[in-house]
């Protein structure tokens, strides 16, 4: 591998990593316009394993905006990113696949608009596929594979006689 190819690969890897980071930030910040811009025009996401829906990026952004309103505090931690590049139309490096683990702590909205309920935490793995476009790298698909979740336990006071 030549130095030029190695440098191009490193630059592509950094750009792909930035898209994954921007994905997490858009969801955590509730920036659904930024979320939509991360996808190709035919981009899709699948949240069914986490109890969600599957569809095009616009439909998913609408669903997320409603669902995430339950959680005013959220923080995606996307780690263990494995990036693989592939060819499209015989041009090496036009596609990328990222498999990454995630932990996602969130806080339920309280009745007074604050965050008073216990945390909801889930974890699993993302499968991202990306396409290099004239505008840079864009998400073609996002698939969530939720592996576990910890929901708050409702504590009830013992009944008084």
């Amino acid at each position: 591998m030549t130095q030029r190819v190695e440098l191009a690969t490193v630059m592509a890897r950094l750009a792909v990593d930035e898209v994954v980071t921007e994905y997490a930030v858009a969801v955590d910040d509730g920036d659904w316009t930024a979320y939509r811009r991360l996808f190709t025009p035919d981009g899709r996401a699948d949240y069914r394993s986490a109890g969600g829906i599957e569809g095009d990026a616009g439909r998913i952004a609408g669903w997320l905006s409603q669902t995430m309103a339950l959680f005013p505090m959220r923080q995606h931690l996307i780690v263990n990113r494995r990036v693989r590049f592939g060819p499209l139309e015989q041009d090496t490096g036009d596609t990328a696949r990222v498999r990454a683990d995630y932990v996602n702590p969130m806080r339920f909205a309280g009745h007074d608009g604050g965050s008073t309920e216990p945390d909801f935490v889930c974890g699993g793995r993302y499968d991202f596929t990306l396409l290099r476009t004239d505008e840079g790298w864009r998400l073609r698909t996002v698939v969530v594979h939720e592996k576990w979740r910890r929901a708050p336990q409702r504590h009830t006071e013992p009944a008084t006689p």
Side-chain angles (χ1 to χ4, degrees):
M1 193 178 278
T2 67
Q3 285 183 334
R4 180 175 287 167
V5 171
E6 288 173 359
L7 179 60
T9 301
V10 168
M11 297 300 289
R13 185 179 179 90
L14 289 170
V16 164
D17 191 70
E18 179 69 13
V19 172
V20 171
T21 298
E22 289 299 322
Y23 165 87
V25 170
V27 173
D28 291 344
D29 290 352
D31 187 343
W32 309 118
T33 300
Y35 178 92
R36 285 184 200 90
R37 277 196 310 260
L38 292 170
F39 285 82
T40 61
D42 62 345
R44 301 186 68 78
D46 184 347
Y47 292 85
R48 290 178 293 184
S49 77
I53 65 171
E54 186 274 338
D56 65 67
R59 178 174 183 230
I60 296 299
W63 172 78
L64 283 171
S65 71
Q66 293 176 345
T67 303
M68 293 295 111
L70 300 171
F71 307 101
M73 189 287 297
R74 49 194 179 263
Q75 182 179 32
H76 282 75
L77 306 171
I78 301 178
V79 299
N80 301 334
R81 300 175 191 205
R82 291 166 302 240
V83 179
R84 302 290 180 262
F85 293 101
L88 179 68
E89 298 175 10
Q90 310 306 316
D91 186 7
T92 303
D94 285 337
T95 64
R97 179 177 176 179
V98 179
R99 297 196 80 191
D101 297 325
Y102 72 88
V103 175
N104 184 14
M106 297 184 283
R107 172 119 12 228
F108 285 108
H111 298 294
D112 63 353
S115 297
T116 60
E117 295 292 322
D119 288 332
F120 173 91
V121 183
C122 60
R125 179 164 290 153
Y126 279 113
D127 277 320
F128 298 97
T129 60
L130 296 93
L131 177 67
R132 186 193 316 258
T133 71
D134 291 338
E135 294 80 35
W137 287 93
R138 295 292 183 265
L139 295 167
R140 188 177 248 174
T141 63
V142 175
V143 180
V144 175
H145 303 281
E146 185 178 273
K147 294 183 176 186
W148 60 272
R149 67 174 50 185
R150 185 186 78 215
Q153 298 295 317
R154 298 276 183 207
H155 298 288
T156 57
E157 296 296 320
T160 55

